[in-house]
Amino acid sequence: MKLPKPSLSLRSVVLLAVVVGIAVPALLLLAFSESLVRRSLEPLLEGQRSAVLTLAANGLAEPLWTVDSQAVQRALEQLLSDASVCGVELSEERPGAPNLLFKKCSPDWPTVTLVAAVRRDNQVLGSLSVRFDDAALEHTLAGGREQIALIVGLQVVMGVTVMLLVLYLRLVRPIDRLKQQASAIAQREAVVRLPWNRRDELGQLGEHLNEVGDRIDTLIADLEGKNAQLHQMAMYDHLTGLPNRTLFREVFQHEAAVAKREGSSLALLFVDLDRFKAINDSLGHAAGDNMLLAASERLRHTVRESDLACRVSGDEFLLLMREASPSDVVAHAAQRLISTLNAPLQLPEGLGTASVSASIGIAMFPRDGEDFDTLVRHADLAMYRAKQQGRSRYSFFQQDMDANAMARLALERELVAALAEQQLELHYQPIIDAGSGRVCGVEGLMRWQHPQRGLLMPGSFITLAEESGQIQALGRWTVEVACAQLAEWKAAGRHPGNLAINLSALQFRDQRLPEQVADAMRRHGVLPGELSIELTESTLMSDSDLSMQTMARLRALGVALSVDDFGTGYSSLSYLKLLRPAKLKIDRSFVHDLPVSADDRALVQAILGLAQALGIGVVAEGVETEAQREVLLELGCAQQQGYFYARPAAVASVTERLPVWPPAA
């Protein structure tokens, strides 16, 4: 196992460095000073001893020469009085002279003996032996050692004190301030800008930290601002400022838990603005946005403070009502919302006002669902029921709505399979020249041969196809099958004259429609004038610029356009003149009572006169009796279509009635 390396704080390192840097040299000085002093003193001491011995020998020469015993004794006593001398011994050369010995140290005292001859005129008079104190050097060294130790100790104490004071003031304390400043920055605490007056490295670092702290504060403020913006974007609608679906879901889950615990009810209202898309498309997105803002403000001010409104998407809003019991309270609130939203809305300058209504679906918690998605789906279904009942009203969710929705989903899936498995087919109804009885055209009508439900009329699935986005595929299929059938009839020597097909308004607005028709005509050899397209007058009169562009491109291909169910929608005579369709098809509602109704007779006559004046052909639909046929002929409408002549039928039943092609010369 690898042991972790010991770590020291900066203070410990600095203190250790000071101790090592000052105490170690002092200890080394103490250790080596004695040997150095000894080396320097020993030669001096030896010289001193030699000098004392030489002076003493010279001083004894005269008394010994004159044999002055008292002078000799005084000289020896004077020599013995020297602090470094422990003993003196004089041996004379003179016969019979006694040896003189003087000493003042104990016998075991360390001594050094030096001997010198006493001479006079090169004659040896005696021998002088001096024992010097050998401990004097040690006493001197001991005294010096004590003094050096005292000086070094004072130096160490003063040096350490000064160094620690300097390091504390110039290093440790600034570092502590830097640490506090850095910790405050790291912990996102309020950072007090510290003054740094010095120009050393730590002062510069402190100034840098001040700048870093200021920048971090700025960055944090920016980040908090951006986080607030992101939270606003994530939880609120950017246009209206209302909570979005995410925040609404969170609030619902909390309120649902409270309601479940307290045994109370909640109401979820799904609000959809009627006709908003038409206003948005006609007046522009800026007007649509202003309308949404005004509607959201009305919604916000109409609901109670305890209720929560949110914008789901487009022109759809959700409203969560707390304490939604009894249901009359919810119904009253829904009606109040509808009345408020129905009031005219002020549009941007120059656009005046616009009126929209609201359809509201209501689902109750926990009766209609206990989770958010289920409750929203049920409220949505109830809203569509309100639209089906005439718009500008509210509807509570009923269980049969869910069953109908599931049936619609099943039918939607089956419609996808119908396209893939060729369950769709066109039935054809002849258009007859009532005067001659000759077939002058046919209309292709879509039918669905459902495996379980039998033959389905377009009314049971076209609306679903438009809502689910499958209408484009159905339209392409219709064009393809009609062109292929024309080619097949011509190959069999028959020709209907003109084959009319019905297309949805959604497909007519598709800019790719002319290319799709041209491609099908080219592949199947369909000539100009052999194919026509029927559209309702509402389709032709809306988006006139787009309609005229599409019609111009179709006319260039030789495809005529007919106005189906003429007289039942809203017509603009100026647009009718501008678009100039090939045919008008009088709706069956004007034909049904034609033999007995003067009003219907007058209207049909007016339509015929208008068409004749504009050079537009007319076909009467829904002819079912001989009387209707005769009145139409009397009024000048020869081209007729209806059950009186033939019901829509499969290809085999129609083919034999078609004129031979090419006609005989």
PDB file of all heavy atoms in Angstrom, residues 183-217:
ATOM      1  N   SER A 183     -12.093  32.216  -1.280  1.00  0.00           N
ATOM      2  CA  SER A 183     -13.189  31.383  -0.765  1.00  0.00           C
ATOM      3  C   SER A 183     -14.538  32.060  -0.984  1.00  0.00           C
ATOM      4  O   SER A 183     -15.518  31.407  -1.356  1.00  0.00           O
ATOM      5  CB  SER A 183     -12.981  31.101   0.722  1.00  0.00           C
ATOM      6  OG  SER A 183     -11.793  30.361   0.932  1.00  0.00           O
ATOM      7  N   ALA A 184     -14.574  33.366  -0.742  1.00  0.00           N
ATOM      8  CA  ALA A 184     -15.826  34.094  -0.969  1.00  0.00           C
ATOM      9  C   ALA A 184     -16.240  34.035  -2.426  1.00  0.00           C
ATOM     10  O   ALA A 184     -17.419  33.866  -2.755  1.00  0.00           O
ATOM     11  CB  ALA A 184     -15.668  35.550  -0.522  1.00  0.00           C
ATOM     12  N   ILE A 185     -15.253  34.132  -3.327  1.00  0.00           N
ATOM     13  CA  ILE A 185     -15.560  34.047  -4.761  1.00  0.00           C
ATOM     14  C   ILE A 185     -16.049  32.649  -5.103  1.00  0.00           C
ATOM     15  O   ILE A 185     -17.029  32.475  -5.831  1.00  0.00           O
ATOM     16  CB  ILE A 185     -14.312  34.414  -5.591  1.00  0.00           C
ATOM     17  CG1 ILE A 185     -13.982  35.902  -5.404  1.00  0.00           C
ATOM     18  CG2 ILE A 185     -14.528  34.103  -7.065  1.00  0.00           C
ATOM     19  CD1 ILE A 185     -12.680  36.321  -6.051  1.00  0.00           C
ATOM     20  N   ALA A 186     -15.344  31.624  -4.562  1.00  0.00           N
ATOM     21  CA  ALA A 186     -15.704  30.241  -4.890  1.00  0.00           C
ATOM     22  C   ALA A 186     -17.082  29.874  -4.355  1.00  0.00           C
ATOM     23  O   ALA A 186     -17.830  29.130  -4.983  1.00  0.00           O
ATOM     24  CB  ALA A 186     -14.651  29.286  -4.335  1.00  0.00           C
ATOM     25  N   GLN A 187     -17.431  30.392  -3.165  1.00  0.00           N
ATOM     26  CA  GLN A 187     -18.709  30.061  -2.544  1.00  0.00           C
ATOM     27  C   GLN A 187     -19.829  31.022  -2.935  1.00  0.00           C
ATOM     28  O   GLN A 187     -20.919  30.955  -2.392  1.00  0.00           O
ATOM     29  CB  GLN A 187     -18.564  30.038  -1.026  1.00  0.00           C
ATOM     30  CG  GLN A 187     -17.602  28.958  -0.541  1.00  0.00           C
ATOM     31  CD  GLN A 187     -17.326  29.048   0.950  1.00  0.00           C
ATOM     32  OE1 GLN A 187     -17.966  29.828   1.647  1.00  0.00           O
ATOM     33  NE2 GLN A 187     -16.378  28.262   1.425  1.00  0.00           N
ATOM     34  N   ARG A 188     -19.535  31.917  -3.883  1.00  0.00           N
ATOM     35  CA  ARG A 188     -20.512  32.868  -4.407  1.00  0.00           C
ATOM     36  C   ARG A 188     -21.110  33.723  -3.297  1.00  0.00           C
ATOM     37  O   ARG A 188     -22.306  34.024  -3.293  1.00  0.00           O
ATOM     38  CB  ARG A 188     -21.604  32.141  -5.189  1.00  0.00           C
ATOM     39  CG  ARG A 188     -21.119  31.444  -6.433  1.00  0.00           C
ATOM     40  CD  ARG A 188     -22.225  30.766  -7.168  1.00  0.00           C
ATOM     41  NE  ARG A 188     -23.233  31.722  -7.590  1.00  0.00           N
ATOM     42  CZ  ARG A 188     -24.374  31.414  -8.176  1.00  0.00           C
ATOM     43  NH1 ARG A 188     -24.648  30.149  -8.406  1.00  0.00           N
ATOM     44  NH2 ARG A 188     -25.243  32.329  -8.528  1.00  0.00           N
ATOM     45  N   GLU A 189     -20.260  34.077  -2.296  1.00  0.00           N
ATOM     46  CA  GLU A 189     -20.698  34.979  -1.259  1.00  0.00           C
ATOM     47  C   GLU A 189     -20.444  36.414  -1.712  1.00  0.00           C
ATOM     48  O   GLU A 189     -19.788  36.651  -2.728  1.00  0.00           O
ATOM     49  CB  GLU A 189     -19.944  34.693   0.047  1.00  0.00           C
ATOM     50  CG  GLU A 189     -20.193  33.288   0.597  1.00  0.00           C
ATOM     51  CD  GLU A 189     -19.335  33.004   1.808  1.00  0.00           C
ATOM     52  OE1 GLU A 189     -18.456  33.845   2.098  1.00  0.00           O
ATOM     53  OE2 GLU A 189     -19.532  31.967   2.451  1.00  0.00           O
ATOM     54  N   ALA A 190     -20.977  37.339  -0.940  1.00  0.00           N
ATOM     55  CA  ALA A 190     -20.725  38.742  -1.259  1.00  0.00           C
ATOM     56  C   ALA A 190     -19.237  39.030  -1.076  1.00  0.00           C
ATOM     57  O   ALA A 190     -18.675  38.834  -0.004  1.00  0.00           O
ATOM     58  CB  ALA A 190     -21.552  39.644  -0.351  1.00  0.00           C
ATOM     59  N   VAL A 191     -18.586  39.464  -2.134  1.00  0.00           N
ATOM     60  CA  VAL A 191     -17.139  39.695  -2.116  1.00  0.00           C
ATOM     61  C   VAL A 191     -16.896  41.170  -1.861  1.00  0.00           C
ATOM     62  O   VAL A 191     -17.274  42.029  -2.671  1.00  0.00           O
ATOM     63  CB  VAL A 191     -16.493  39.262  -3.448  1.00  0.00           C
ATOM     64  CG1 VAL A 191     -14.998  39.515  -3.404  1.00  0.00           C
ATOM     65  CG2 VAL A 191     -16.788  37.808  -3.723  1.00  0.00           C
ATOM     66  N   VAL A 192     -16.270  41.462  -0.682  1.00  0.00           N
ATOM     67  CA  VAL A 192     -15.899  42.837  -0.370  1.00  0.00           C
ATOM     68  C   VAL A 192     -14.565  43.142  -1.053  1.00  0.00           C
ATOM     69  O   VAL A 192     -13.601  42.397  -0.906  1.00  0.00           O
ATOM     70  CB  VAL A 192     -15.777  43.039   1.155  1.00  0.00           C
ATOM     71  CG1 VAL A 192     -15.374  44.471   1.462  1.00  0.00           C
ATOM     72  CG2 VAL A 192     -17.094  42.682   1.831  1.00  0.00           C
ATOM     73  N   ARG A 193     -14.551  44.204  -1.800  1.00  0.00           N
ATOM     74  CA  ARG A 193     -13.327  44.568  -2.513  1.00  0.00           C
ATOM     75  C   ARG A 193     -12.286  45.038  -1.502  1.00  0.00           C
ATOM     76  O   ARG A 193     -12.457  46.067  -0.834  1.00  0.00           O
ATOM     77  CB  ARG A 193     -13.627  45.651  -3.539  1.00  0.00           C
ATOM     78  CG  ARG A 193     -12.464  45.937  -4.475  1.00  0.00           C
ATOM     79  CD  ARG A 193     -12.859  46.987  -5.506  1.00  0.00           C
ATOM     80  NE  ARG A 193     -11.755  47.265  -6.389  1.00  0.00           N
ATOM     81  CZ  ARG A 193     -11.491  46.607  -7.497  1.00  0.00           C
ATOM     82  NH1 ARG A 193     -12.280  45.608  -7.838  1.00  0.00           N
ATOM     83  NH2 ARG A 193     -10.466  46.910  -8.261  1.00  0.00           N
ATOM     84  N   LEU A 194     -11.181  44.272  -1.349  1.00  0.00           N
ATOM     85  CA  LEU A 194     -10.149  44.576  -0.362  1.00  0.00           C
ATOM     86  C   LEU A 194      -9.130  45.549  -0.936  1.00  0.00           C
ATOM     87  O   LEU A 194      -8.727  45.423  -2.098  1.00  0.00           O
ATOM     88  CB  LEU A 194      -9.444  43.288   0.072  1.00  0.00           C
ATOM     89  CG  LEU A 194     -10.331  42.230   0.743  1.00  0.00           C
ATOM     90  CD1 LEU A 194      -9.517  40.993   1.052  1.00  0.00           C
ATOM     91  CD2 LEU A 194     -10.954  42.785   2.006  1.00  0.00           C
ATOM     92  N   PRO A 195      -8.680  46.526  -0.102  1.00  0.00           N
ATOM     93  CA  PRO A 195      -7.642  47.453  -0.594  1.00  0.00           C
ATOM     94  C   PRO A 195      -6.268  46.781  -0.557  1.00  0.00           C
ATOM     95  O   PRO A 195      -5.892  46.148   0.421  1.00  0.00           O
ATOM     96  CB  PRO A 195      -7.726  48.612   0.392  1.00  0.00           C
ATOM     97  CG  PRO A 195      -8.259  48.005   1.660  1.00  0.00           C
ATOM     98  CD  PRO A 195      -9.155  46.887   1.243  1.00  0.00           C
ATOM     99  N   TRP A 196      -5.532  46.942  -1.627  1.00  0.00           N
ATOM    100  CA  TRP A 196      -4.154  46.433  -1.715  1.00  0.00           C
ATOM    101  C   TRP A 196      -3.275  47.602  -2.147  1.00  0.00           C
ATOM    102  O   TRP A 196      -3.244  47.973  -3.313  1.00  0.00           O
ATOM    103  CB  TRP A 196      -4.051  45.294  -2.738  1.00  0.00           C
ATOM    104  CG  TRP A 196      -4.836  44.079  -2.353  1.00  0.00           C
ATOM    105  CD1 TRP A 196      -6.112  43.807  -2.667  1.00  0.00           C
ATOM    106  CD2 TRP A 196      -4.382  42.987  -1.552  1.00  0.00           C
ATOM    107  NE1 TRP A 196      -6.521  42.616  -2.130  1.00  0.00           N
ATOM    108  CE2 TRP A 196      -5.463  42.071  -1.433  1.00  0.00           C
ATOM    109  CE3 TRP A 196      -3.173  42.663  -0.926  1.00  0.00           C
ATOM    110  CZ2 TRP A 196      -5.375  40.884  -0.731  1.00  0.00           C
ATOM    111  CZ3 TRP A 196      -3.082  41.484  -0.223  1.00  0.00           C
ATOM    112  CH2 TRP A 196      -4.164  40.613  -0.125  1.00  0.00           C
ATOM    113  N   ASN A 197      -2.576  48.165  -1.129  1.00  0.00           N
ATOM    114  CA  ASN A 197      -1.783  49.366  -1.401  1.00  0.00           C
ATOM    115  C   ASN A 197      -0.356  49.062  -1.832  1.00  0.00           C
ATOM    116  O   ASN A 197       0.310  49.891  -2.424  1.00  0.00           O
ATOM    117  CB  ASN A 197      -1.756  50.263  -0.155  1.00  0.00           C
ATOM    118  CG  ASN A 197      -3.166  50.715   0.226  1.00  0.00           C
ATOM    119  OD1 ASN A 197      -3.964  50.992  -0.657  1.00  0.00           O
ATOM    120  ND2 ASN A 197      -3.455  50.762   1.518  1.00  0.00           N
ATOM    121  N   ARG A 198       0.111  47.873  -1.458  1.00  0.00           N
ATOM    122  CA  ARG A 198       1.502  47.559  -1.802  1.00  0.00           C
ATOM    123  C   ARG A 198       1.610  47.164  -3.262  1.00  0.00           C
ATOM    124  O   ARG A 198       0.650  46.730  -3.890  1.00  0.00           O
ATOM    125  CB  ARG A 198       2.011  46.429  -0.911  1.00  0.00           C
ATOM    126  CG  ARG A 198       2.043  46.814   0.565  1.00  0.00           C
ATOM    127  CD  ARG A 198       2.799  45.748   1.347  1.00  0.00           C
ATOM    128  NE  ARG A 198       2.260  44.423   1.111  1.00  0.00           N
ATOM    129  CZ  ARG A 198       1.235  43.916   1.770  1.00  0.00           C
ATOM    130  NH1 ARG A 198       0.622  44.644   2.677  1.00  0.00           N
ATOM    131  NH2 ARG A 198       0.813  42.702   1.528  1.00  0.00           N
ATOM    132  N   ARG A 199       2.802  47.275  -3.773  1.00  0.00           N
ATOM    133  CA  ARG A 199       3.044  46.945  -5.180  1.00  0.00           C
ATOM    134  C   ARG A 199       3.846  45.669  -5.337  1.00  0.00           C
ATOM    135  O   ARG A 199       4.447  45.453  -6.378  1.00  0.00           O
ATOM    136  CB  ARG A 199       3.789  48.109  -5.856  1.00  0.00           C
ATOM    137  CG  ARG A 199       2.996  49.391  -5.884  1.00  0.00           C
ATOM    138  CD  ARG A 199       1.701  49.211  -6.636  1.00  0.00           C
ATOM    139  NE  ARG A 199       0.891  50.419  -6.636  1.00  0.00           N
ATOM    140  CZ  ARG A 199      -0.332  50.494  -7.119  1.00  0.00           C
ATOM    141  NH1 ARG A 199      -0.895  49.403  -7.605  1.00  0.00           N
ATOM    142  NH2 ARG A 199      -1.006  51.616  -7.087  1.00  0.00           N
ATOM    143  N   ASP A 200       3.886  44.851  -4.260  1.00  0.00           N
ATOM    144  CA  ASP A 200       4.622  43.596  -4.391  1.00  0.00           C
ATOM    145  C   ASP A 200       3.742  42.560  -5.092  1.00  0.00           C
ATOM    146  O   ASP A 200       2.626  42.840  -5.514  1.00  0.00           O
ATOM    147  CB  ASP A 200       5.087  43.099  -3.017  1.00  0.00           C
ATOM    148  CG  ASP A 200       3.914  42.886  -2.062  1.00  0.00           C
ATOM    149  OD1 ASP A 200       2.764  43.009  -2.527  1.00  0.00           O
ATOM    150  OD2 ASP A 200       4.142  42.604  -0.881  1.00  0.00           O
ATOM    151  N   GLU A 201       4.273  41.332  -5.185  1.00  0.00           N
ATOM    152  CA  GLU A 201       3.573  40.304  -5.952  1.00  0.00           C
ATOM    153  C   GLU A 201       2.217  39.959  -5.344  1.00  0.00           C
ATOM    154  O   GLU A 201       1.221  39.758  -6.062  1.00  0.00           O
ATOM    155  CB  GLU A 201       4.438  39.035  -6.046  1.00  0.00           C
ATOM    156  CG  GLU A 201       5.691  39.180  -6.902  1.00  0.00           C
ATOM    157  CD  GLU A 201       6.835  39.862  -6.163  1.00  0.00           C
ATOM    158  OE1 GLU A 201       6.617  40.271  -4.996  1.00  0.00           O
ATOM    159  OE2 GLU A 201       7.919  40.002  -6.747  1.00  0.00           O
ATOM    160  N   LEU A 202       2.169  39.866  -3.995  1.00  0.00           N
ATOM    161  CA  LEU A 202       0.898  39.537  -3.361  1.00  0.00           C
ATOM    162  C   LEU A 202      -0.122  40.653  -3.530  1.00  0.00           C
ATOM    163  O   LEU A 202      -1.319  40.400  -3.693  1.00  0.00           O
ATOM    164  CB  LEU A 202       1.109  39.235  -1.877  1.00  0.00           C
ATOM    165  CG  LEU A 202       1.858  37.926  -1.570  1.00  0.00           C
ATOM    166  CD1 LEU A 202       2.035  37.777  -0.071  1.00  0.00           C
ATOM    167  CD2 LEU A 202       1.094  36.736  -2.122  1.00  0.00           C
ATOM    168  N   GLY A 203       0.349  41.890  -3.473  1.00  0.00           N
ATOM    169  CA  GLY A 203      -0.552  43.007  -3.723  1.00  0.00           C
ATOM    170  C   GLY A 203      -1.114  42.969  -5.124  1.00  0.00           C
ATOM    171  O   GLY A 203      -2.304  43.203  -5.356  1.00  0.00           O
ATOM    172  N   GLN A 204      -0.243  42.655  -6.101  1.00  0.00           N
ATOM    173  CA  GLN A 204      -0.715  42.542  -7.487  1.00  0.00           C
ATOM    174  C   GLN A 204      -1.708  41.382  -7.621  1.00  0.00           C
ATOM    175  O   GLN A 204      -2.729  41.494  -8.317  1.00  0.00           O
ATOM    176  CB  GLN A 204       0.470  42.344  -8.418  1.00  0.00           C
ATOM    177  CG  GLN A 204       1.396  43.562  -8.479  1.00  0.00           C
ATOM    178  CD  GLN A 204       2.660  43.285  -9.282  1.00  0.00           C
ATOM    179  OE1 GLN A 204       2.831  42.192  -9.802  1.00  0.00           O
ATOM    180  NE2 GLN A 204       3.531  44.275  -9.355  1.00  0.00           N
ATOM    181  N   LEU A 205      -1.401  40.256  -6.913  1.00  0.00           N
ATOM    182  CA  LEU A 205      -2.316  39.126  -6.955  1.00  0.00           C
ATOM    183  C   LEU A 205      -3.660  39.493  -6.334  1.00  0.00           C
ATOM    184  O   LEU A 205      -4.724  39.099  -6.832  1.00  0.00           O
ATOM    185  CB  LEU A 205      -1.700  37.933  -6.217  1.00  0.00           C
ATOM    186  CG  LEU A 205      -2.545  36.646  -6.174  1.00  0.00           C
ATOM    187  CD1 LEU A 205      -2.863  36.174  -7.583  1.00  0.00           C
ATOM    188  CD2 LEU A 205      -1.809  35.559  -5.393  1.00  0.00           C
ATOM    189  N   GLY A 206      -3.620  40.262  -5.228  1.00  0.00           N
ATOM    190  CA  GLY A 206      -4.863  40.704  -4.611  1.00  0.00           C
ATOM    191  C   GLY A 206      -5.678  41.584  -5.538  1.00  0.00           C
ATOM    192  O   GLY A 206      -6.903  41.455  -5.623  1.00  0.00           O
ATOM    193  N   GLU A 207      -5.007  42.485  -6.254  1.00  0.00           N
ATOM    194  CA  GLU A 207      -5.721  43.326  -7.218  1.00  0.00           C
ATOM    195  C   GLU A 207      -6.330  42.474  -8.328  1.00  0.00           C
ATOM    196  O   GLU A 207      -7.452  42.714  -8.779  1.00  0.00           O
ATOM    197  CB  GLU A 207      -4.766  44.372  -7.805  1.00  0.00           C
ATOM    198  CG  GLU A 207      -4.366  45.468  -6.833  1.00  0.00           C
ATOM    199  CD  GLU A 207      -5.566  46.294  -6.389  1.00  0.00           C
ATOM    200  OE1 GLU A 207      -6.516  46.440  -7.175  1.00  0.00           O
ATOM    201  OE2 GLU A 207      -5.551  46.781  -5.250  1.00  0.00           O
ATOM    202  N   HIS A 208      -5.565  41.460  -8.771  1.00  0.00           N
ATOM    203  CA  HIS A 208      -6.103  40.559  -9.794  1.00  0.00           C
ATOM    204  C   HIS A 208      -7.339  39.824  -9.268  1.00  0.00           C
ATOM    205  O   HIS A 208      -8.327  39.645  -9.997  1.00  0.00           O
ATOM    206  CB  HIS A 208      -5.040  39.544 -10.223  1.00  0.00           C
ATOM    207  CG  HIS A 208      -3.943  40.143 -11.054  1.00  0.00           C
ATOM    208  ND1 HIS A 208      -4.179  41.113 -12.000  1.00  0.00           N
ATOM    209  CD2 HIS A 208      -2.613  39.898 -11.085  1.00  0.00           C
ATOM    210  CE1 HIS A 208      -3.040  41.453 -12.575  1.00  0.00           C
ATOM    211  NE2 HIS A 208      -2.071  40.736 -12.034  1.00  0.00           N
ATOM    212  N   LEU A 209      -7.266  39.399  -7.998  1.00  0.00           N
ATOM    213  CA  LEU A 209      -8.426  38.723  -7.416  1.00  0.00           C
ATOM    214  C   LEU A 209      -9.625  39.667  -7.325  1.00  0.00           C
ATOM    215  O   LEU A 209     -10.768  39.253  -7.531  1.00  0.00           O
ATOM    216  CB  LEU A 209      -8.085  38.184  -6.026  1.00  0.00           C
ATOM    217  CG  LEU A 209      -7.535  36.751  -5.970  1.00  0.00           C
ATOM    218  CD1 LEU A 209      -7.277  36.351  -4.534  1.00  0.00           C
ATOM    219  CD2 LEU A 209      -8.491  35.768  -6.619  1.00  0.00           C
ATOM    220  N   ASN A 210      -9.367  40.930  -6.991  1.00  0.00           N
ATOM    221  CA  ASN A 210     -10.460  41.906  -6.994  1.00  0.00           C
ATOM    222  C   ASN A 210     -11.111  41.992  -8.373  1.00  0.00           C
ATOM    223  O   ASN A 210     -12.334  42.001  -8.516  1.00  0.00           O
ATOM    224  CB  ASN A 210      -9.946  43.279  -6.576  1.00  0.00           C
ATOM    225  CG  ASN A 210      -9.755  43.388  -5.073  1.00  0.00           C
ATOM    226  OD1 ASN A 210     -10.410  42.683  -4.309  1.00  0.00           O
ATOM    227  ND2 ASN A 210      -8.868  44.268  -4.638  1.00  0.00           N
ATOM    228  N   GLU A 211     -10.255  42.049  -9.407  1.00  0.00           N
ATOM    229  CA  GLU A 211     -10.783  42.120 -10.768  1.00  0.00           C
ATOM    230  C   GLU A 211     -11.533  40.838 -11.124  1.00  0.00           C
ATOM    231  O   GLU A 211     -12.613  40.876 -11.738  1.00  0.00           O
ATOM    232  CB  GLU A 211      -9.643  42.360 -11.761  1.00  0.00           C
ATOM    233  CG  GLU A 211      -8.964  43.718 -11.585  1.00  0.00           C
ATOM    234  CD  GLU A 211      -7.771  43.881 -12.514  1.00  0.00           C
ATOM    235  OE1 GLU A 211      -7.525  42.952 -13.319  1.00  0.00           O
ATOM    236  OE2 GLU A 211      -7.093  44.921 -12.436  1.00  0.00           O
ATOM    237  N   VAL A 212     -10.930  39.685 -10.721  1.00  0.00           N
ATOM    238  CA  VAL A 212     -11.593  38.412 -10.996  1.00  0.00           C
ATOM    239  C   VAL A 212     -12.942  38.352 -10.283  1.00  0.00           C
ATOM    240  O   VAL A 212     -13.948  37.897 -10.850  1.00  0.00           O
ATOM    241  CB  VAL A 212     -10.698  37.234 -10.563  1.00  0.00           C
ATOM    242  CG1 VAL A 212     -11.473  35.925 -10.580  1.00  0.00           C
ATOM    243  CG2 VAL A 212      -9.491  37.124 -11.479  1.00  0.00           C
ATOM    244  N   GLY A 213     -12.971  38.799  -9.020  1.00  0.00           N
ATOM    245  CA  GLY A 213     -14.229  38.805  -8.284  1.00  0.00           C
ATOM    246  C   GLY A 213     -15.281  39.668  -8.961  1.00  0.00           C
ATOM    247  O   GLY A 213     -16.447  39.284  -9.071  1.00  0.00           O
ATOM    248  N   ASP A 214     -14.858  40.869  -9.434  1.00  0.00           N
ATOM    249  CA  ASP A 214     -15.801  41.744 -10.139  1.00  0.00           C
ATOM    250  C   ASP A 214     -16.319  41.083 -11.407  1.00  0.00           C
ATOM    251  O   ASP A 214     -17.518  41.132 -11.716  1.00  0.00           O
ATOM    252  CB  ASP A 214     -15.123  43.073 -10.485  1.00  0.00           C
ATOM    253  CG  ASP A 214     -14.801  43.888  -9.238  1.00  0.00           C
ATOM    254  OD1 ASP A 214     -15.396  43.599  -8.181  1.00  0.00           O
ATOM    255  OD2 ASP A 214     -13.937  44.784  -9.321  1.00  0.00           O
ATOM    256  N   ARG A 215     -15.391  40.448 -12.149  1.00  0.00           N
ATOM    257  CA  ARG A 215     -15.817  39.806 -13.396  1.00  0.00           C
ATOM    258  C   ARG A 215     -16.730  38.617 -13.120  1.00  0.00           C
ATOM    259  O   ARG A 215     -17.708  38.400 -13.847  1.00  0.00           O
ATOM    260  CB  ARG A 215     -14.593  39.354 -14.191  1.00  0.00           C
ATOM    261  CG  ARG A 215     -13.760  40.521 -14.725  1.00  0.00           C
ATOM    262  CD  ARG A 215     -12.596  40.037 -15.556  1.00  0.00           C
ATOM    263  NE  ARG A 215     -11.787  41.159 -16.037  1.00  0.00           N
ATOM    264  CZ  ARG A 215     -10.698  41.020 -16.785  1.00  0.00           C
ATOM    265  NH1 ARG A 215     -10.289  39.805 -17.124  1.00  0.00           N
ATOM    266  NH2 ARG A 215     -10.027  42.084 -17.193  1.00  0.00           N
ATOM    267  N   ILE A 216     -16.368  37.851 -12.073  1.00  0.00           N
ATOM    268  CA  ILE A 216     -17.223  36.705 -11.732  1.00  0.00           C
ATOM    269  C   ILE A 216     -18.600  37.185 -11.288  1.00  0.00           C
ATOM    270  O   ILE A 216     -19.623  36.586 -11.653  1.00  0.00           O
ATOM    271  CB  ILE A 216     -16.548  35.845 -10.645  1.00  0.00           C
ATOM    272  CG1 ILE A 216     -15.333  35.112 -11.245  1.00  0.00           C
ATOM    273  CG2 ILE A 216     -17.537  34.848 -10.053  1.00  0.00           C
ATOM    274  CD1 ILE A 216     -14.568  34.287 -10.257  1.00  0.00           C
ATOM    275  N   ASP A 217     -18.648  38.277 -10.504  1.00  0.00           N
ATOM    276  CA  ASP A 217     -19.947  38.832 -10.114  1.00  0.00           C
ATOM    277  C   ASP A 217     -20.758  39.226 -11.340  1.00  0.00           C
ATOM    278  O   ASP A 217     -21.966  38.969 -11.424  1.00  0.00           O
ATOM    279  CB  ASP A 217     -19.742  40.052  -9.211  1.00  0.00           C
ATOM    280  CG  ASP A 217     -19.283  39.660  -7.817  1.00  0.00           C
ATOM    281  OD1 ASP A 217     -19.441  38.473  -7.463  1.00  0.00           O
ATOM    282  OD2 ASP A 217     -18.757  40.525  -7.099  1.00  0.00           O
TER     283      ASP A 217
END
